[in-house]
Amino acid sequence: MSKKWLLATCAGLMVASAMLASATAMGAASAVEPAPLKVTPAVNTMVRNALKTLAPGVQVDAVEPAALPGFYQVIASGQLMYLSSDGRYLLNGDLIDLTQKKNVSNAAWARFRKAELAKVPASQRIVFAPANPKYTVTVFTDINCGYCRALHEHIAAFNKAGIAVEYLAWPREGVASTSGKPTATYSEMASIWCAADRKAAFSAAIAGKAPAAATCTNPVADQFDLGMKLGVSGTPTIVAPDGRTLGGYVTPEQMLIALQKGS
């Protein structure tokens, strides 16, 4: 499913969303604070049914009460949105707490990414790490991506700065073509994850040397699906230990500064 499903299906709701937000703001001073929402099986069913009216194949991954009264925060098919408790109104966009000067949506994404990435065992990652890393980042990568290659050229410098880099596979052209056959990039990355020495095979492939063909039970497809679930739309996508995204290509110096700011 396209990651832009919500934008494509909700274009006609933008005006209604703006009107709802305006009405909420005008009535905030006199409104009675509603009781906190709870996520029950019935709520999960309501959320799924409401979103299916927009996109039948949508995958709902997380539902929790939103900071916005009367709304649930929903992460579905790689996007975060807010759905009213009756399933009637949907808001798509960042939620800002003006009192705390905080982007609530970014914080929610970070928590979700951190929790989901914690489920990926070290045995399924390709890890380049110093002896005693100060920080560990997860990088969704594609061996045929120019910026991914540029990033890996500095892997020794990242490690020298105390940063461990753990790679997950994210073939940008997907896992399968429209004909149902594995894409070329998927096959190459699966061969790397099946290699006896993954690190050596990865470094050689990202430098331009095609990996030796190999097959095995591998996590490449699962890691691609995970990236979609976490909102990954390109490579490299770098995720900090706290779940923040640090952008695409960054230098070792830039990454260290970004990690220090979040520590």
Side-chain angles (χ1 to χ4, degrees), residues 84-186:
S84 61
S85 58
D86 61 1
R88 180 176 179 180
Y89 297 103
L90 185 144
L91 298 175
N92 176 36
D94 287 345
L95 181 62
I96 310 298
D97 185 326
L98 296 179
T99 300
Q100 298 186 17
K101 304 294 190 295
K102 178 181 178 182
N103 187 316
V104 178
S105 301
N106 282 348
W109 262 127
R111 291 194 305 272
F112 183 68
R113 292 190 199 99
K114 181 179 179 179
E116 291 300 311
L117 288 172
K119 300 174 184 178
V120 181
S123 62
Q124 294 183 3
R125 304 167 182 248
I126 296 181
V127 180
F128 292 82
N132 298 294
K134 298 177 183 177
Y135 305 100
T136 298
V137 298
T138 299
V139 179
F140 286 91
T141 191
D142 178 323
I143 58 170
N144 295 313
C145 152
Y147 283 113
C148 299
R149 290 176 173 175
L151 184 78
H152 193 69
E153 286 177 0
H154 301 289
I155 196 66
F158 283 113
N159 289 171
K160 186 176 180 180
I163 302 170
V165 176
E166 299 189 351
Y167 286 115
L168 297 183
W170 205 77
R172 292 173 300 164
E173 60 179 345
V175 171
S177 66
T178 54
S179 65
K181 296 180 179 180
T183 64
T185 303
Y186 166 78

Side-chain angles (χ1 to χ4, degrees), residues 216-231:
C216 68
T217 300
N218 67 82
V220 174
D222 289 339
Q223 291 178 6
F224 177 79
D225 289 342
L226 175 61
M228 295 293 289
K229 184 177 180 178
L230 300 185

Side-chain angles (χ1 to χ4, degrees), residues 7-22:
L7 295 178
T9 55
C10 291
L13 297 179
M14 294 178 64
V15 174
S17 296
M19 292 174 64
L20 174 64
S22 177

